[in-house]
């Protein structure tokens, strides 16, 4: 059971927008910064968003992040079939004194 | 371009010690945190711990009793040892870089470079 809660799966059509939620508590998301990762099948995770809403160089602005209270959201617009992947949120948990991740969300582009 | 590469045995016997090394190329280990993360097949990510180039080390409390992480910045390598392994330790093990752990007083871990991962199976 993961400390951060994500929906197991989401789906949307090509060109549409999807959001993936990540729910936590005051000991993690509520008082720390959130990062998001994309994991294509058979590959290592790739950083998409850091510090809640910043994109590393090379990440298209179709990907966005936001945080409100103890929840965070990853948004993806203009969906492409190449976006089909597992997406993970992560942050620091001040009570556990550990980096924690969500259980992952599988995105299907129909 | 920074690259990370895990190396080590792909098969470990139960109760023995899992040992992996991550070699960093294309950049210095200075000023960064270096971490191990694992992922059982079909499951999510679990953070194991980090090594900071000054020698500071922090472990996930859930694994702390069995884990040792060390680093040699002169060789651009850091290592993982996990003892008393069981089948539950079977996973893909990744090494990764963190540019920072905090922003101000808030935790801000983000892993910007990852190794390709190495599968370690625990079996007799």
């Amino acid at each position: 059971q993961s400390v951060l809660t994500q929906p197991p799966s989401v789906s949307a059509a090509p060109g549409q927008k999807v959001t993936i939620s990540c729910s936590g508590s005051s000991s993690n998301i509520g008082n720390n910064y959130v990062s998001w990762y994309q994991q294509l099948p058979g590959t290592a995770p790739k950083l998409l968003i850091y510090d809640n809403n910043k994109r590393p160089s090379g990440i298209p602005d179709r990907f966005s992040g936001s945080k409100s209270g103890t929840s965070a959201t990853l948004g993806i617009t203009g969906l492409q079939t190449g976006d089909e992947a597992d997406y993970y949120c992560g942050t620091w948990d001040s009570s556990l004194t550990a980096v924690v991740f969500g259980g992952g969300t599988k995105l299907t582009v129909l | 371009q920074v690259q990370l590469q895990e190396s080590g045995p792909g098969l470990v016997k139960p109760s023995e010690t899992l040992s992996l090394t991550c070699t960093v190329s294309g950049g210095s280990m200075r000023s960064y945190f270096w971490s191990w993360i694992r992922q059982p097949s079909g499951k999510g990510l679990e953070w194991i711990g980090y090594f900071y180039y000054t020698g500071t080390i922090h472990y996930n409390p859930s694994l702390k009793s069995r884990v040792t992480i060390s680093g040699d910045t002169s060789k651009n390598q850091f290592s993982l040892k996990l003892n008393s392994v069981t089948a539950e330790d079977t996973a893909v093990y990744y090494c990764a870089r963190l540019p920072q752990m905090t922003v101000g007083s808030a935790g801000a871990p983000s892993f910007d470079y990852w190794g390709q991962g190495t599968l370690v199976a625990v079996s007799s």
Side-chain angles (χ1 to χ4, degrees):
Chain A
Q1 185 129 357
S2 301
V3 173
L4 306 179
T5 301
Q6 298 181 234
S9 64
V10 296
S11 62
Q16 296 300 303
K17 173 182 177 178
V18 71
T19 60
I20 298 173
S21 61
C22 177
S23 178
S25 69
S26 59
S27 67
N28 42 67
I29 293 177
N31 286 284
N32 296 294
Y33 289 86
V34 177
S35 56
W36 288 91
Y37 305 86
Q38 176 194 61
Q39 187 175 33
L40 297 170
T43 68
K46 174 184 178 181
L47 180 64
L48 288 179
I49 299 289
Y50 68 99
D51 292 356
N52 298 338
N53 55 18
K54 299 177 182 176
R55 283 177 287 106
S57 174
I59 300 300
D61 59 7
R62 299 189 300 109
F63 296 90
S64 64
S66 64
K67 189 184 99 166
S68 178
T70 59
S71 293
T73 302
L74 173 70
I76 311 173
T77 60
L79 278 171
Q80 303 172 1
T81 55
D83 296 331
E84 287 202 333
D86 294 323
Y87 292 83
Y88 293 91
C89 57
T91 187
W92 179 255
D93 191 296
S94 306
S95 295
L96 297 174
T97 64
V99 177
V100 293
F101 293 99
T105 298
K106 182 176 182 60
L107 169 63
T108 300
V109 181
L110 301 169
Chain B
Q1 177 78 351
V2 174
Q3 292 186 318
L4 291 79
Q5 178 68 57
E6 305 89 351
S7 59
L11 181 64
V12 181
K13 290 183 167 56
S15 80
E16 296 191 346
T17 297
L18 179 160
S19 296
L20 295 173
T21 296
C22 181
T23 301
V24 179
S25 59
S28 169
M29 291 186 68
R30 293 180 63 84
S31 302
Y32 293 100
F33 296 82
W34 302 91
S35 205
W36 289 97
I37 296 160
R38 69 180 183 178
Q39 184 175 34
S41 179
K43 297 189 178 180
L45 303 167
E46 180 179 27
W47 177 72
I48 299 171
Y50 72 67
F51 164 83
Y52 189 47
Y53 80 104
T54 58
T56 299
I57 295 169
H58 185 83
Y59 301 126
N60 187 330
S62 68
L63 294 168
K64 185 176 182 178
S65 63
R66 298 195 292 130
V67 172
T68 301
I69 294 175
S70 60
D72 187 338
T73 56
S74 67
K75 294 182 178 179
N76 262 23
Q77 292 180 331
F78 63 107
S79 299
L80 168 70
K81 291 188 185 299
L82 179 66
N83 58 37
S84 304
V85 297
T86 69
E88 291 191 349
D89 295 310
T90 294
V92 174
Y93 285 76
Y94 296 101
C95 56
R97 188 184 85 167
L98 299 96
Q100 63 187 25
M101 277 298 297
T102 59
V103 172
S105 61
S110 59
F111 303 92
D112 62 349
Y113 286 96
W114 296 66
Q116 65 184 26
T118 186
L119 174 62
V120 179
V122 177
S123 175
S124 54

